[in-house]
Amino acid sequence: MRSRYDDPSFDDAAHPLPRLGGPTFALRFRAARLIWMTSWRLLAAWTPAPLHRWRNLILRCFGAQLHPSAIVYGSASIWWPANLIMDRHASLGPGAICYNVAPVTLGPFANVSQRAHLCTASHNIQESAFTLIARPIVLQANCWIAAEAFVGPGVNVGEGAVLGARGVSVKPLEAWTVYAGNPAKPVGKRNTSAGIS
């Protein structure tokens, strides 16, 4: 069966796909993201660790919903602030990547360590259009995403759960359970008294 892209009369320029260099997002949104990225680099990325309130102010100006005690490090990468929700004492550590095409929610005392990756989006590999698909990530209270771990689209991390360093999770993590590996598997239980209410 011939694809429309095998037809020489098909005008790629009029119907560009992401795989052919076409944009996934509208020009207006891409311009807004450019303003966001420039603002973060100029006003926040270089700031010393203690200036959390200043960085929170900048994030709020772009639509983030942050509790005053939330902590975001300057070296963290946030794709779109309006899709970021952080409850009290939640933390995005140094070099953390928050690719929040869909909403990312961090509950109270949720901790994302250095260079961990929260990724809400992927592509539909069964379509020629390679369509972007996005699903929200929720990190419940007192959970810990350890250094360089990866959390995929649609994952709900249960209260008090731990994803060990460099672990990879594309499925929900049960509350008060410790996970490790790629793919992440349960390796133990966590004492519920380790939580802070």
Side-chain angles (χ1 to χ4, degrees):
M1 178 186 215
R2 281 168 57 92
S3 153
R4 62 183 185 171
Y5 303 105
D6 297 324
D7 180 355
S9 66
F10 183 77
D11 182 4
D12 283 339
H15 302 87
L17 294 174
R19 288 173 61 183
L20 300 174
T24 302
F25 299 96
L27 177 61
R28 184 175 178 179
F29 182 71
R30 286 181 283 147
R33 278 205 66 240
L34 178 62
I35 293 168
W36 153 244
M37 291 185 299
T38 303
S39 299
W40 186 255
R41 286 192 179 119
L42 291 176
L43 300 173
W46 57 271
T47 56
L51 293 184
H52 301 301
R53 290 185 185 204
W54 169 248
R55 290 188 293 273
N56 287 0
L57 174 63
I58 295 166
L59 285 160
R60 282 194 203 95
C61 287
F62 284 88
Q65 299 174 49
L66 306 178
H67 188 275
S69 63
I71 296 171
V72 178
Y73 283 79
S75 58
S77 174
I78 298 156
W79 191 81
W80 186 238
N83 284 342
L84 179 63
I85 302 164
M86 295 178 69
D87 210 321
R88 58 198 174 91
H89 301 287
S91 174
L92 272 178
I97 299 169
C98 183
Y99 183 52
N100 55 343
V101 177
V104 167
T105 303
L106 279 72
F109 298 94
N111 186 352
V112 178
S113 287
Q114 61 270 26
R115 296 181 302 282
H117 191 158
L118 308 178
C119 180
T120 64
S122 186
H123 291 271
N124 187 338
I125 61 172
Q126 305 301 343
E127 294 181 354
S128 62
F130 207 51
T131 309
L132 184 74
I133 49 178
R135 294 181 308 177
I137 290 173
V138 177
L139 307 182
Q140 302 288 349
N142 297 301
C143 71
W144 178 29
I145 308 303
E148 299 183 356
F150 178 90
V151 178
V155 171
N156 180 69
V157 179
E159 181 178 0
V162 174
L163 179 59
R166 295 195 172 180
V168 175
S169 177
V170 293
K171 294 181 179 178
L173 302 182
E174 295 293 324
W176 303 105
T177 304
V178 180
Y179 292 82
N182 179 6
K185 294 181 179 176
V187 295
K189 287 291 185 180
R190 186 180 183 197
N191 190 336
T192 57
S193 65
I196 302 174
S197 57

